Amino acid sequence: MIKPMMNPQKSLKSLPTTHIFRPGDVFVLFGELFGRGYANGLVNEARNAGMDIIGITVGRRDEHNALRPLTDEELATAEAHLGGRIINVPLMAGFDLDAPAGTPTPTDMLGSMTLKNWADVNLDWSHIDTCRALGVQRFKDAVAEVMATLDTMIPDGRNVFFAHTMAGGIPKAKVFLAIANRIYKGSGDRFMSSRQLLDSDLGKLILQNFDEVTAHTFQHLMEGSSAIRKRIEASGGEVRYSAYGYHGTEILIDGSYQWQTYTSYTQGYAKMRLERIAESAWDQGIKAVVYNCPEIRTNSSDIFVGVELPLIALLLALQKEDPNPWTQAQWQACADMLLEGCSLDDVLGKINAFNGSEVAKSFRDFAAWPMSNTAELADIMIGTSEAITKMHKDRKSLITDHLSSLVIEAVGPLMFKESSCPSGPVLWINHDIIAKQLNELHR
């Protein structure tokens, strides 16, 4: 496993002002645009800058799990959603559904696992290594095909922004869904240790797939686009690469910005590998940056109960950085979501109690990230999350939904502008700079 960084994180502290991208430049989304999430903010910035937007697809699986391109109808829908052209070559990352013909895929190998035996099942690692090599080669071949097409779509002298958005890698195995519900949502009798998962063969397989989807795809993107990068730079243009990371966030705790994190973030090992890939590229003169972004609620993060709790402290950051009328309007919008008799002070009181607990404090250890969960943490984190949710008028309209949209709105311009003249390969975007960006946008 990747060793965590021992040095303090490098955080973005001032609003970036450099802007090299102009109409006619090219924005490439390396990952499909789905629903709500961070990628939307970056695409909006590219659109506002007048850039030509080009996307890719991860493809779809047919009834036999074979990977296929989008149909004409699917392609038209995806291009309309993106607001640009899509190169219709399937770029599905990971190897969980890859295998030599006539042999089981890694996902097939999990089919016999149950909640009773999964921790004791030993997998055939020789076969998994074969499947992994096959999946990696499939992906690299598809990247080469995509880049050959992309090369014809980018004129000399244009600036190019490659935005990597691939993440995930959980195999679609029924047993894992049951395990995940206990690790990420379970407390009391339903609690399960994330360390138990990671020490098992199932956990080791998942970590390998996380690496391939979340981290190594960034390497394949930079290697696959090297010819385009060299041509563009030789003709006077510039090339940038960005990726989304997560490695905890600084939020306001007891009046000062302090690093904290969601636990148990099992994908953290892959996110650290992603950081190392950016650092290696940077050493080679490639402007590649991993932006470690705040916790938000997305379609994919909703499995992690409690990941949304740090978001609520954004209200405090907005107030601290600039208590203007727009900030007050955000406080009011959040207050209006609560049941009669419940107040934002009540909500913030629960957040303060959680952050001030000795259990939560013990997890604010940057050098030890990502730590495994504990029953004590699950009890207070999940309990706090559920208590705050119950204070809302509508469980489908939460304060954290509103604040997530604000974070996405701020992160887009921060990443987009900082990438023009980036200050390092791994940067943290914390609540202080988020608040400053939002206040700047809404002056």
Side-chain angles (χ1 to χ4, degrees):
M1 293 180 179
I2 298 293
K3 289 282 187 181
M5 291 185 294
M6 299 303 293
N7 297 325
Q9 68 273 22
K10 182 174 183 180
S11 302
L12 190 59
K13 290 299 182 184
S14 58
L15 296 177
T17 56
T18 306
H19 196 332
I20 67 171
F21 300 103
R22 56 187 185 271
D25 286 344
V26 179
F27 177 86
V28 181
L29 187 70
F30 195 73
E32 199 160 336
L33 192 64
F34 291 113
R36 52 177 179 157
Y38 273 120
N40 294 275
L42 205 49
V43 170
N44 288 341
E45 289 303 306
R47 188 178 297 121
N48 293 338
M51 299 177 74
D52 293 336
I53 298 175
I54 301 173
I56 58 101
T57 178
V58 297
R60 301 291 184 269
R61 296 281 180 181
D62 65 18
E63 64 274 17
H64 304 295
N65 267 334
L67 194 57
R68 64 166 177 81
L70 300 180
T71 64
D72 290 345
E73 182 179 355
E74 290 169 338
L75 181 61
T77 300
E79 289 187 331
H81 181 52
L82 176 66
R85 295 167 290 176
I86 289 176
I87 299 173
N88 195 13
V89 174
L91 272 176
M92 182 76 74
F95 60 92
D96 49 301
L97 289 173
D98 287 285
T103 66
T105 68
T107 299
D108 293 332
M109 298 167 69
L110 307 179
S112 63
M113 289 186 177
T114 68
L115 267 180
K116 292 183 178 180
N117 72 6
W118 67 270
D120 300 317
V121 173
N122 295 316
L123 298 176
D124 180 348
W125 287 105
S126 176
H127 183 64
I128 288 174
D129 288 344
T130 298
C131 295
R132 185 174 186 175
L134 192 67
V136 169
Q137 192 59 53
R138 169 186 56 76
F139 187 84
K140 292 172 69 173
D141 290 345
V143 169
E145 186 177 351
V146 165
M147 292 302 161
T149 300
L150 184 62
D151 193 27
T152 67
M153 302 169 74
I154 305 176
D156 287 348
R158 303 294 173 88
N159 298 319
V160 183
F161 191 131
F162 287 97
H164 176 279
T165 65
M166 293 186 177
I170 296 175
K172 289 183 173 60
K174 289 182 179 179
V175 68
F176 181 76
L177 295 178
I179 294 169
N181 277 330
R182 298 194 176 199
I183 290 176
Y184 304 122
K185 296 182 179 181
S187 59
D189 292 341
R190 289 187 54 78
F191 170 79
M192 183 178 289
S193 166
S194 58
R195 176 48 53 190
Q196 182 184 6
L197 171 64
L198 297 186
D199 287 343
S200 70
D201 274 16
L202 172 62
K204 292 170 185 175
L205 170 63
I206 290 171
L207 288 183
Q208 285 192 15
N209 212 39
F210 282 161
D211 279 347
E212 292 302 338
V213 177
T214 298
H216 294 163
T217 50
F218 196 37
Q219 182 74 49
H220 299 323
L221 164 62
M222 288 185 284
E223 291 176 349
S225 60
S226 60
I228 294 175
R229 184 174 64 250
K230 291 174 183 176
R231 174 175 66 82
I232 291 298
E233 291 175 346
S235 62
E238 298 194 47
V239 178
R240 300 289 187 267
Y241 298 87
S242 73
Y244 290 97
Y246 174 74
H247 197 142
T249 312
E250 287 183 6
I251 67 172
L252 267 180
I253 301 175
D254 295 331
S256 64
Y257 289 104
Q258 300 182 44
W259 181 87
Q260 56 73 59
T261 183
Y262 168 78
T263 298
S264 167
Y265 192 67
T266 44
Q267 290 90 328
Y269 298 104
K271 291 297 188 184
M272 282 191 288
R273 192 175 296 279
L274 179 68
E275 292 171 358
R276 299 298 179 270
I277 289 171
E279 290 170 342
S280 177
W282 189 271
D283 290 342
Q284 299 170 48
I286 301 170
K287 294 297 176 63
V289 185
V290 170
Y291 293 93
N292 286 323
C293 299
E295 301 90 343
I296 61 171
R297 292 191 65 227
T298 67
N299 293 340
S300 59
S301 74
D302 278 351
I303 188 177
F304 307 115
V305 176
V307 71
E308 80 286 355
L309 293 178
L311 258 175
I312 297 172
L314 180 62
L315 288 167
L316 300 174
L318 289 170
Q319 189 79 2
K320 178 181 176 67
E321 298 302 329
D322 189 357
N324 57 45
W326 180 81
T327 290
Q328 300 310 312
Q330 306 319 301
W331 276 69
Q332 188 60 53
C334 291
D336 290 343
M337 296 179 182
L338 300 176
L339 290 166
E340 185 175 349
C342 298
S343 69
L344 280 182
D345 285 343
D346 296 332
V347 173
L348 290 168
K350 292 186 180 299
I351 295 298
N352 290 338
F354 170 70
N355 287 329
S357 68
E358 291 304 314
V359 172
K361 288 179 182 178
S362 70
F363 283 88
R364 294 205 282 273
D365 184 349
F366 184 84
W369 191 85
M371 297 172 70
S372 299
N373 64 351
T374 65
E376 294 77 15
L377 177 68
D379 284 345
I380 63 169
M381 181 175 67
I382 294 173
T384 301
S385 176
E386 291 176 346
I388 291 176
T389 298
K390 290 178 181 177
M391 296 168 71
H392 288 74
K393 296 174 182 175
D394 184 353
R395 295 179 69 96
K396 295 183 179 179
S397 180
L398 304 178
I399 288 173
T400 48
D401 292 323
H402 179 65
L403 296 178
S404 292
S405 68
L406 295 182
V407 173
I408 290 171
E409 181 184 1
V411 166
L414 286 170
M415 286 180 60
F416 192 75
K417 292 178 182 178
E418 175 66 17
S419 292
S420 288
C421 187
S423 52
V426 182
L427 298 173
W428 269 255
I429 297 178
N430 299 313
H431 278 197
D432 55 349
I433 197 69
I434 292 286
K436 291 173 184 176
Q437 181 66 74
L438 285 169
N439 284 320
E440 180 69 21
L441 291 171
H442 294 280
R443 286 191 187 281

